[in-house]
Amino acid sequence: MTPPPSALLDRAGYLAVRRHADGVFDLASRLPDQVFRTAPTAPADTLFGDFDTALTPGFWPVLQAMARWHGDDLIHLLVIRPDTETYYLPEYGMYPAVSLPVGAGEDDYRAVIEYEPNDDFAGALAISAEVIAITGPSGRWGCWAERDPEVAVFRGFPDQAAKHAWCSRFGPFIDASGALEDYLEPVFRGSVPVEYAARLTANYGG
């Protein structure tokens, strides 16, 4: 499947998306440290989900809902790891950044994340991406996802009613304490290190 022509970006587009994402996220940070540059709009504004879900076609409506809350007409996806200069460019001659109109469909998102550069399935973002950041032009919402420790973090709910409706429609999504139990205990084989758990809770709420 071939992605929409404007979706996969050239160097200028990639750099623009990266600069914008760097204003929303601390691109050098990793969980359990704080990856969002802005404070949450409410104490319970952060939720966690499963990493793998973020790189499936069915995830697109989740992103559309967040973008539409804030009037965004585009959704930007940036792969932070593997590195562009040492992996994506030499291996595939591509920049791992995507911009899709918010009105695009699930098939468009599928075409982007499952696109196989040089006909190599290992280069598809759904397979190769390890750390990703997703946001829109407003910068008022975001999804940060890491393959290890297999979680995605969401922030930018305009109010509790919108958050609850979003969770009911697209969930399950859980808070930090739930993520420690449901997602991270299996990753750490049953026992999350105390320091890791404390830092995650301090940065993302109980």
Side-chain angles (χ1 to χ4, degrees):
M1 186 177 290
T2 302
S6 60
L8 294 174
L9 303 175
D10 59 13
R11 183 170 183 81
Y14 162 77
L15 291 175
V17 165
R18 188 176 180 90
R19 282 192 298 270
H20 179 66
D22 194 39
V24 179
F25 307 95
D26 179 353
L27 301 185
S29 188
R30 299 290 182 270
L31 300 172
D33 293 333
Q34 182 56 259
V35 299
F36 293 94
R37 291 198 183 277
T38 57
T41 56
D45 189 47
T46 303
L47 289 175
F48 288 78
D50 180 62
F51 171 87
D52 288 331
T53 304
L55 290 170
T56 63
F59 189 68
W60 182 244
V62 175
L63 300 176
Q64 285 178 306
M66 299 193 83
R68 285 171 171 154
W69 286 335
H70 301 292
D72 285 336
D73 58 355
L74 290 171
I75 294 173
H76 305 310
L77 183 153
L78 173 72
V79 178
I80 301 161
R81 196 175 108 189
D83 180 68
T84 300
E85 302 294 335
T86 61
Y87 182 72
Y88 285 105
L89 277 178
E91 292 292 330
Y92 302 110
M94 66 178 283
Y95 293 93
V98 171
S99 285
L100 274 178
V102 73
E106 290 184 37
D107 284 344
D108 297 310
Y109 189 59
R110 179 198 300 272
V112 164
I113 61 175
E114 296 183 0
Y115 168 65
E116 300 178 0
N118 300 339
D119 295 320
D120 182 353
F121 80 95
L125 300 185
I127 301 296
S128 61
E130 297 174 4
V131 180
I132 62 174
I134 307 174
T135 188
S138 70
R140 296 173 62 194
W141 65 277
C143 168
W144 175 278
E146 297 184 21
R147 192 177 296 275
D148 178 14
E150 301 180 12
V151 294
V153 190
F154 304 85
R155 182 172 288 178
F157 306 101
D159 52 52
Q160 290 299 304
K163 175 183 160 186
H164 290 151
W166 183 82
C167 287
S168 297
R169 181 180 177 189
F170 301 117
F173 298 103
I174 52 182
D175 62 13
S177 62
L180 285 167
E181 182 176 348
D182 292 357
Y183 295 132
L184 295 165
E185 282 190 6
V187 169
F188 286 101
R189 300 183 179 180
S191 181
V192 181
V194 172
E195 181 183 356
Y196 188 105
R199 285 162 61 193
L200 191 82
T201 301
N203 285 314
Y204 299 100

